[in-house]
Amino acid sequence: MRILRTVALLCLPAVALAQRPTLSAAVRQYVTIDAPIVVVRNVRVVDGTGAPPRENQTVVMRDGRIAAVGPSAATVLPQGAHVVDGTGKTVIPGLVMVHEHMFYPSGQGPVYDEHAYVFPRLYLGGGITTARTGGSMAPYADINVGKAIASGTIPGPRLDVTGPYLNGPNPFPQMYSLKDAADARRMVNYWADLGATSFKAYMQITRDQLRAAVDEAHKRGLKVTGHLCSVTFREAAEIGIDNLEHGIAAATDFISNKRADVCPGGLQGVLANMNSSTDTVRASVIRALVDRKVAVTSTLAVFERFAGERPATPRRILDA
């Protein structure tokens, strides 16, 4: 099935488009159509709600936003619109991704290489129109890239940029180690002032540091997610965290004799040997998350690579 995404038509992130950005030459080479009103006629629409695909639809986009969707035979075309024949193609919503990075392992220990040039282009090419960077190893670069995309200077999806990881003592040379709760508050405010729009706690953070970071971020209307270990899911939910990464695989609630504010080892072994005796604990953790409306990002693709008998990664992906 051939796919035609709205991003392929405009190559513009869905930022506040009351005033459309002036596109640079670097962005224009990726733009097929740059018009205030774009209409795609006779196209199949998959709207992402679970409803069956709708055939022979017309989609009207005005200033970067979908203004109308309806049967082609009954939809009036706005005057002055740029019209595209979508026969044989399918329109899907732009993909909104919630755990993306601008870095990748370097292959040289716990060091990560930033890819501020190619990654925004690859994300956009994959149909991603909005992405949250779920942790940053080069926060200045990520924030500047997000601003450049929003201004039309470089191509890429709209970015919700997390600040640098909020973590305690850790083995990563690109991470700062928080000293105490006051330090956590200072970090949140410093990076929020520079343009970070969310934050991510990491595996060695303490409960007091997390509580301070969440409180400070919420004062500014910003959200906090976490890839946790030293703090359990239940503790994080009670503190008020907004989101948790990697699903149950990152929860240390099931470790017997876990020490407070310490990240234990052997978590994968515990998860692999879960049985009915852990059902009560698991149910209580899930209930705590549901009651406090804590979202969970499953990142199933991350764990897929640990499964046996999976197909080899295509060469073109490795080349990219």
Side-chain angles (χ1 to χ4, degrees), residues 139-140 143-144 147 188-197 220:
Y140 289 115
I143 288 172
N144 288 334
K147 291 178 179 178
V188 167
N189 282 310
Y190 177 82
W191 287 101
D193 286 344
L194 290 180
T197 46
R220 304 186 65 138

Side-chain angles (χ1 to χ4, degrees), residues 243-280:
N243 188 82
L244 291 164
E245 305 294 329
H246 305 302
I248 208 73
T252 50
D253 302 73
F254 312 101
I255 302 289
S256 59
N257 302 317
K258 180 191 175 300
R259 291 189 294 150
D261 298 329
V262 175
C263 178
L267 179 58
Q268 289 184 334
V270 171
L271 295 173
N273 294 302
M274 272 188 175
N275 53 45
S276 58
S277 66
T278 63
D279 284 351
T280 301

